[in-house]
Amino acid sequence: MRTVKVDIAERSYQIVIDQHLLMNVGEQVQAFLKKGNKVALLVSKTVKKLYSDRVVRSLITSGYEVDMFLVPSGEENKNLTTVSKLYDELIENSYDRSCAIIALGGGIVGDVSGFVSSSLFRGLPFIQLPTTLLSQVDSSVGGKVGVNHSQGKNLIGAFYQPKVVLIDPTVLKTLEIRELICGYGEILKYGFIRDASFLQTCLDNKNSIISLKDMELISEIIRRSVEIKAEMVSEDEQEAGFRMLLNFGHTIGHAIEKSCGYGKFLHGEAVILGMCAALKISMEKLGLDSVKGKSAIDSLCKIKLGHDLSTLDIDKAMIALMHDKKIRDGKLNFVLLKDIGSPVIVNDITPEMVRETLLWLKERYKNGAGS
Ligand SMILES: NC(=O)c1ccc[n+]([C@@H]2O[C@H](COP(=O)([O-])OP(=O)(O)OC[C@H]3O[C@@H](n4cnc5c(N)ncnc54)[C@H](O)[C@@H]3O)[C@@H](O)[C@H]2O)c1
């Protein structure tokens, strides 16, 4: 068993990583919820079929009353309509402040469930059981919860920390390869911004990670990823500065995701494209060593994505970028690298430079994986 602490005063919590942990999840939950309390398990259809039985059994054995509620899959359903439907269902089922919400699923289930937990009855205890690689290394940690607005991703939300994050890496075995690649993208992000040697390990072991060949290695990579995230969240819970570095690759990534239509590029795929763009701008603007920069771009470009970029509408992407949450005082905040592991926030990148970079990216990815 591996544990990492997110250290934020009375909101501190543990992230527990252990193979087959879901079988005994009830025991882990006992430290946070009184026996006999009602628990709402929020889950996607796919994860319900695969993993809800073992979780429900374990929770009931540990003395909880469990109801299950479905969260529809897909970025297009991560919205206030879904949240409102969940409020209705929980209220109709007599949920109150003595109850808790457990999210079992990927980042969408986690973000939606967390937002419902933060707002229903002014806050219910919330536990994360992330089941995708991306949610295990990133979205379940740090307390950013929320939903999309038609004008942009994650525009509605809160900072609301879970009581605990319980990670069972064995559930990754049923994930589609494309989803594993998304998680791999976020793992590389941690290396780029914080740990060059971790980045190298992850690049050297790409095939082993994506094929889940070595569960010990995967568990350790998850641990190091959440350790980096926990450090950054512990220092800057509400993203006043330091935590913003976690947005490396996300500014252009979000713009691509939104302008291409949610669902075309998955979040992690868009982040991989965004990191390529940020590395290019880092070389031009900050003098990131071109050998290191180009080699990193080549490694990212070799990662197979679900789509090519031939239909990217650059005007639409620029509009999406201007609606990004990362605009402060009318300026675009970009996370760039002075060196691998040395990020900085830069706010004077011109729209022309972004446009040129998008054209370059579109050309590189016109046939799928970047050439
Ligand atoms: N809150 C944060 O800090 C944060 C950080 C990064 C990303 N996000 C958000 O996370 C979301 C993406 O999350 P995601 O990549 O986990 O995608 P997702 O939640 O859409 O899950 C992907 C798909 O995999 C299925 N699935 C989940 N676990 C499975 C398993 N073990 N086996 C088989 N299928 C499984 C799901 O049902 C879903 O269809 C985005 O909305 C993004 O904005 C949030």
Side-chain angles (χ1 to χ4, degrees), residues 162-197:
K163 296 286 176 210
V164 67
V165 179
L166 301 170
I167 298 177
D168 180 348
T170 61
V171 301
L172 301 176
K173 290 193 172 151
T174 50
L175 263 191
E176 307 249 341
I177 180 83
R178 229 181 132 191
E179 301 291 350
L180 287 163
I181 286 172
C182 285
Y184 180 65
E186 297 282 4
I187 288 168
L188 295 180
K189 172 190 79 180
Y190 293 118
F192 278 119
I193 60 169
R194 212 71 183 127
D195 185 341
S197 124

Side-chain angles (χ1 to χ4, degrees), residues 134-246:
L134 182 139
S135 59
Q136 295 192 344
V137 297
D138 189 359
S139 63
S140 63
V141 176
K144 272 195 188 178
V145 296
V147 293
N148 302 328
H149 183 272
S150 57
Q151 295 287 318
K153 252 183 86 76
N154 300 325
L155 291 186
I156 303 160
F159 289 98
Y160 193 69
Q161 302 296 342
K163 296 286 176 210
V164 67
V165 179
L166 301 170
I167 298 177
D168 180 348
T170 61
V171 301
L172 301 176
K173 290 193 172 151
T174 50
L175 263 191
E176 307 249 341
I177 180 83
R178 229 181 132 191
E179 301 291 350
L180 287 163
I181 286 172
C182 285
Y184 180 65
E186 297 282 4
I187 288 168
L188 295 180
K189 172 190 79 180
Y190 293 118
F192 278 119
I193 60 169
R194 212 71 183 127
D195 185 341
S197 124
F198 178 64
L199 175 69
Q200 202 51 55
T201 304
C202 294
L203 290 174
D204 293 346
N205 290 284
K206 175 182 147 198
N207 291 337
S208 170
I209 296 169
I210 293 172
S211 62
L212 301 172
K213 215 158 117 199
D214 178 349
M215 289 315 285
E216 266 306 302
L217 174 71
I218 293 285
S219 301
E220 185 47 31
I221 282 174
I222 294 171
R223 190 203 64 75
R224 180 64 185 135
S225 299
V226 295
E227 183 177 62
I228 293 174
K229 181 146 187 190
E231 273 168 26
M232 303 183 81
V233 170
S234 300
E235 190 140 323
D236 175 22
E237 184 188 8
Q238 303 226 342
E239 205 173 85
F242 188 49
R243 184 173 175 173
M244 269 195 253
L245 299 174
L246 287 165

